[in-house]
Amino acid sequence: MSATEATRAGDSDLDVIIVGAGVGGLYALYKLRNLGYRARIYEAAADVGGTWYWNRYPGCRCDVESLEYSFSFDDDLQQEWQWPERYGGQPVILDYVNHVADRFDLRKDIQFNTRIKAAKFSNQSNRWTITTASGESVSAPYCIMATGNLSTPRKPDWPGFDDFKGRVEHTGLWPHDGVDFTGLRVGVIGTGSSGVQSIPLIAKQAKHLTVFQRTANFSLPARNEPMRAEKEAAHKAEYSERRKAAYSTPFGIAGFPPPTQSALEVSEEERNAAYEAKWAEGGSISYLYAFTDLLTNKEANDTASDFARNKIRATVKDPKTAELLCPNNHPIGTKRLILDTDYYETYNLDHVDLVDVRSAPIEGLTEKGLKTTDAEYELDMIVFATGFDAMTGAMKEIDIQTDSGAKIGAKWEDGPRTYLGIMMADFPNLFMITGPQSPGVKSQMILSCEQHVDWIADCLEHLRSNGQSKIVPEPKAEDDWVAHNNAVADATLYPLANSWYMGANIPGKPRIFMPYVGGVEAYKKRCDAVAAAGYEGFQISP
Ligand code: NAP
């Protein structure tokens, strides 16, 4: 029997298909296997890690502190693993994910190098059949999409890629053997988190660096540092309490006392002293937590935005460059607030230039480099830090449909529609981990992955113990959740920014706010209440 046939034979007994071996998929496999389900992961990459497998660009680092950004499901794991720095760098996080896969013997149930192209549900057999890029098919009653929110890298659809004689890379698909910029004229397009993290390190090596900026973003100093032994010991001493407490916070991260005052009810002096302290401390939640209303009141937000702009002006020596780096079209925090190391300082280097491609947009690549509407820039390498088709891209790349005629493309044509960000009406037995309209990307992602997996596992246990095998959201429950999601977002300043949260970075994508911003605490309470009420809003059948 060939290896493929052997795999297929085993797969015919699967209970659950999981797509994706990032942190969500791995925990789903661990959890479901321990509950006695036969589960298998199908993963496009050659190894585990998801986002941390693909994003290997220089400077790639998590913007949530490492003691928080880690699994909580096993106390020995969290006590034994040692994070070397305040914020985990990509290589260390990838080592950690590999350690978890080995420690819990997960690899034996993961099929790597397998991209899923289609998933079809049969109401008659009550099974999902997934089809791989090489044409293999596997079926199981339940399917979990752990496909990630920022996993479909996108380059603009410009002419000239074939003409350019130099090298092109995307931060989200970085070569495993690294890139040597020594002696090169490098162009970086994009100043989101990936651009801002990589620019200072590329500048250290490159002969010349040109940064092409369309939108200036707010970035705060990360203040990364080696892990302090006493901080680690104190954190680990109360790890389980902290993990529990994290669920009672808006962003799923404990340790930040909620603010009590509006930015507008204190004197300017007091306000600036608060921002100064947060600036010195490092971290985005800390800064946005300076006052109660920074994300809900524009006037309050302006004070925090102005403070950050003045920091940029104080750092960048050339006033024209400084002004160009000052964000002016969105309130601070409404696009992902970036954490950096020496980003603004990099523009003080003689061999680094900033080009405004808002006033003169890029038209395409040429043989020699990049052409904007008013100049041509000669380059040896172009780094695209242009982001992802976020939140819905990975799901929509799979041809997901049912034999009743439901199709994901049509379903999400005007933006995502889900119930709790976990399931969709018309798509029975199909679960998402941190799907759109859940807090995922607005939270500590690993906590949100664990919360979803635990909820899904409880749901499968509920079905099993009641002799049921089919679950699907009622259309009304979905309608109400979509409306609630939009209402919560509309009560904040978030929709004011042209962000990937809004689908604004992809031409033609519907403009709708995709993450749930009512906070982790409210969200988890709702999910738990739905389950406690016998899976309210779902139709359950044998
Ligand atoms: P991004 O935030 O979407 O940034 C993409 C950048 O490319 C933006 O500056 C965008 O400009 C620019 N761009 C896109 N198309 C362009 C065009 N046609 N012409 C000129 N510029 C163009 O993507 P990202 O930096 O990869 O980050 C995505 C998300 O991943 C982050 O927000 C964060 O949640 C996550 N991430 C996290 C970390 C971390 O933990 N530290 C690190 C990296 C990424 P516009 O703003 O004008 O669209």
Side-chain angles (χ1 to χ4, degrees):
M1 192 187 273
S2 74
T4 310
E5 281 164 342
T7 307
R8 276 192 196 140
D11 288 345
S12 65
D13 300 329
L14 286 179
D15 298 311
V16 187
I17 290 166
I18 301 166
V19 184
V23 294
L26 290 177
Y27 179 53
L29 174 59
Y30 167 85
K31 176 96 188 184
L32 295 175
R33 187 202 273 170
N34 284 354
L35 289 170
Y37 294 91
R38 288 155 300 183
R40 169 162 295 150
I41 296 181
Y42 294 85
E43 165 59 55
D47 211 336
V48 297
T51 213
W52 302 108
Y53 175 89
W54 297 105
N55 288 268
R56 296 167 186 246
Y57 60 84
C60 183
R61 187 178 290 287
C62 188
D63 56 8
V64 174
E65 294 196 37
S66 46
L67 286 161
E68 296 284 343
Y69 188 86
S70 45
F71 287 111
S72 73
F73 66 82
D74 186 275
D75 195 46
D76 290 342
L77 169 69
Q78 66 185 7
Q79 292 296 339
E80 285 165 26
W81 183 265
Q82 285 190 302
W83 294 102
E85 292 178 288
R86 178 177 179 186
Y87 297 96
Q90 175 272 336
V92 170
I93 299 176
L94 189 59
D95 281 352
Y96 170 74
V97 180
N98 273 280
H99 169 79
V100 170
D102 292 333
R103 184 176 180 124
F104 299 103
D105 196 16
L106 300 178
R107 288 177 205 281
K108 68 180 184 204
D109 287 319
I110 307 176
Q111 186 171 320
F112 292 109
N113 300 306
T114 305
R115 188 171 284 281
I116 302 306
K117 299 302 270 186
K120 188 161 184 181
F121 184 73
S122 158
N123 279 285
Q124 209 184 359
S125 64
N126 202 43
R127 291 178 83 84
W128 279 97
T129 299
I130 60 160
T131 308
T132 70
S134 62
E136 256 186 281
S137 292
V138 183
S139 81
Y142 303 103
C143 180
I144 300 177
M145 292 293 178
T147 42
N149 284 285
L150 293 156
S151 43
T152 44
R154 284 284 182 266
K155 288 189 198 117
D157 187 14
W158 288 324
F161 278 91
D162 291 339
D163 301 331
F164 180 52
K165 296 277 185 254
R167 183 170 170 181
V168 168
E169 298 294 349
H170 190 291
T171 49
L173 289 171
W174 204 253
H176 285 206
D177 47 358
V179 175
D180 184 4
F181 300 98
T182 311
L184 300 184
R185 296 163 304 170
V186 182
V188 174
I189 305 169
T191 50
S193 301
S194 305
V196 167
Q197 286 189 329
S198 57
I199 283 164
L201 287 149
I202 295 175
K204 277 195 178 150
Q205 265 190 0
K207 182 163 94 185
H208 191 272
L209 173 63
T210 311
V211 177
F212 296 89
Q213 172 187 274
R214 185 167 67 182
T215 307
N217 275 310
F218 286 102
S219 183
L220 309 179
R223 312 239 182 258
N224 187 35
E225 59 179 3
M227 180 63 71
R228 282 184 275 119
E230 65 283 11
K231 175 175 170 160
E232 182 183 4
H235 202 108
K236 287 186 170 175
E238 48 187 42
Y239 231 147
S240 52
E241 293 84 351
R242 290 186 73 111
R243 298 290 198 187
K244 260 185 233 125
Y247 280 114
S248 304
T249 67
F251 301 107
I253 300 176
F256 296 101
T260 52
Q261 283 180 299
S262 156
L264 304 176
E265 68 182 81
V266 298
S267 70
E268 190 180 343
E269 243 181 8
E270 255 182 276
R271 203 163 49 220
N272 284 340
Y275 293 140
E276 195 66 58
K278 301 288 189 179
W279 190 270
E281 186 183 320
S284 51
I285 294 178
S286 159
Y287 193 79
L288 295 174
Y289 247 31
F291 296 102
T292 51
D293 46 0
L294 297 185
L295 290 172
T296 50
N297 180 323
K298 173 77 169 53
E299 206 188 327
N301 185 290
D302 285 344
T303 65
S305 297
D306 284 342
F307 181 89
R309 279 189 281 263
N310 285 334
K311 284 288 184 190
I312 298 170
R313 293 181 185 116
T315 308
V316 179
K317 289 185 185 140
D318 173 41
K320 231 176 110 196
T321 306
E323 236 19 70
L324 207 49
L325 287 166
C326 284
N328 59 13
N329 70 354
H330 62 280
I332 191 167
T334 55
K335 289 185 110 169
R336 178 77 170 201
L337 189 46
I338 304 170
L339 296 189
D340 74 88
T341 301
D342 295 337
Y343 175 62
Y344 295 113
E345 289 81 351
T346 300
Y347 292 95
N348 293 332
L349 301 172
D350 288 340
H351 70 296
V352 177
D353 292 327
L354 181 66
V355 172
D356 174 18
V357 294
R358 164 87 49 198
S359 58
I362 299 170
E363 290 185 325
L365 285 73
T366 65
E367 198 178 316
K368 291 184 183 159
L370 266 184
K371 193 171 169 333
T372 67
T373 51
D374 68 1
E376 184 177 6
Y377 296 86
E378 292 193 12
L379 302 165
D380 303 307
M381 183 181 303
I382 303 173
V383 173
F384 284 83
T386 45
F388 304 84
D389 185 353
M391 305 202 67
T392 52
M395 288 276 288
K396 285 181 86 172
E397 275 196 349
I398 302 174
D399 178 15
I400 302 173
Q401 52 174 292
T402 72
D403 62 0
S404 311
K407 291 190 170 153
I408 187 83
K411 170 101 184 168
W412 285 4
E413 194 177 0
D414 299 324
R417 300 187 56 77
T418 75
Y419 182 34
L420 302 174
I422 298 179
M423 293 192 84
M424 294 174 283
D426 308 322
F427 292 83
N429 293 6
L430 181 71
F431 299 91
M432 292 172 284
I433 297 183
T434 67
Q437 294 160 350
S438 77
V441 295
K442 294 301 303 164
S443 72
Q444 198 275 82
M445 282 298 301
I446 300 185
L447 167 139
S448 283
C449 289
E450 288 186 328
Q451 188 240 331
H452 270 186
V453 169
D454 291 344
W455 192 95
I456 294 166
D458 287 348
C459 174
L460 295 186
E461 286 293 89
H462 176 83
L463 297 178
R464 184 157 71 174
S465 59
N466 288 288
Q468 311 281 24
S469 57
K470 190 172 186 181
I471 178 163
V472 65
E474 289 163 2
K476 172 144 187 354
E478 182 177 276
D479 289 347
D480 290 349
W481 184 252
V482 173
H484 173 61
N485 205 74
N486 293 340
V488 170
D490 287 343
T492 70
L493 301 175
Y494 284 109
L496 297 184
N498 286 323
S499 62
W500 57 259
Y501 300 141
M502 285 291 287
N505 62 324
I506 301 291
K509 193 166 169 170
R511 297 283 178 107
I512 186 154
F513 194 80
M514 295 184 285
Y516 179 69
V517 283
V520 165
E521 180 177 23
Y523 175 78
K524 183 174 186 300
K525 278 188 182 152
R526 179 67 185 270
C527 290
D528 291 348
V530 164
Y535 294 86
E536 189 182 5
F538 289 95
Q539 287 163 9
I540 291 179
S541 50

